[in-house]
């Protein structure tokens, strides 16, 4: 993807080697024009789609993923995938954290971008905590139990490269997340 002409996925001028077919391994790079695909999109069992940090794809239709769909991130930016229709299959979102073993690299706040996360991040994450407003305490949980739209304090292993992965179905509908206020009275 170059986005040299427009945001139209179907315009061959936006691609270095023509519009990708169902057999193509495709990577979306950042550009002035974020690709927009009007219609359904499928990633076959042997196919892959990578959205690199700073790039995005808006799909005005359904997504069927039987292959590999990956979004990347850096410390400053991430890839974006917006699906306005239904979605089946899993994506993997690779979240870059600050690597290292010093005190500024251990703990990170993050929220899973998938409905259910199947990636335990073995050897990368050694503790996950969720804040409880009612008890005023951090409660231990597993990264595979983390809920979308909720924030977690994640401690990575000293030897981690800083990349943690969330793998599961995308969240492409509204979420209801309970929120609390530290104030006894409402603030206008």
């Amino acid at each position: 993807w170059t986005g040299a002409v427009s945001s139209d996925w179907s315009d061959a001028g936006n691609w270095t080697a023509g519009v990708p077919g169902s057999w193509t391994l495709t990577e979306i790079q950042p550009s002035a024009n974020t690709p927009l695909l009007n219609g359904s999109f499928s990633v076959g069992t042997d196919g892959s789609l990578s959205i690199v940090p700073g790039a995005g794809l808006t799909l005005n239709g359904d997504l069927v993923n039987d292959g590999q769909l990956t979004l990347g991130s850096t410390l400053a930016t991430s890839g974006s995938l917006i699906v306005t229709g239904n979605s089946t299959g899993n994506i993997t979102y690779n979240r870059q954290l600050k690597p290292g073993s010093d005190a500024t690299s251990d703990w990170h706040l993050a929220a899973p971008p998938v409905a259910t996360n199947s990636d335990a991040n073995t050897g990368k994450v050694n503790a996950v905590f969720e804040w409880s407003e009612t008890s005023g305490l951090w409660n231990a949980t597993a990264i595979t139990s983390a809920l979308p739209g909720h924030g977690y304090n994640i401690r990575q292993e000293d030897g981690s490269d800083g990349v943690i992965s969330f793998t599961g179905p995308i969240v492409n509908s509204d979420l209801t997340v309970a929120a609390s206020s530290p104030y006894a009275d409402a603030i206008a």
Side-chain angles (χ1 to χ4, degrees), residues 87-101:
S87 176
T88 57
N90 292 333
I91 63 141
T92 297
Y93 174 68
N94 294 317
R95 179 68 181 115
Q96 177 67 58
L97 306 176
K98 182 180 176 191
S101 58

Side-chain angles (χ1 to χ4, degrees), residues 34-95:
T34 299
L36 173 64
L37 177 61
N38 290 309
S40 295
F41 184 77
S42 296
V43 179
T45 54
D46 293 329
S48 74
L49 172 64
S50 296
I51 302 173
V52 301
L57 169 63
T58 299
L59 175 58
N60 287 328
D62 297 336
L63 171 66
V64 176
N65 180 29
D66 293 320
Q68 184 178 352
L69 200 160
T70 307
L71 287 90
S73 76
T74 65
L75 289 174
T77 190
S78 66
S80 171
L81 173 64
I82 299 171
V83 178
T84 62
N86 296 314
S87 176
T88 57
N90 292 333
I91 63 141
T92 297
Y93 174 68
N94 294 317
R95 179 68 181 115

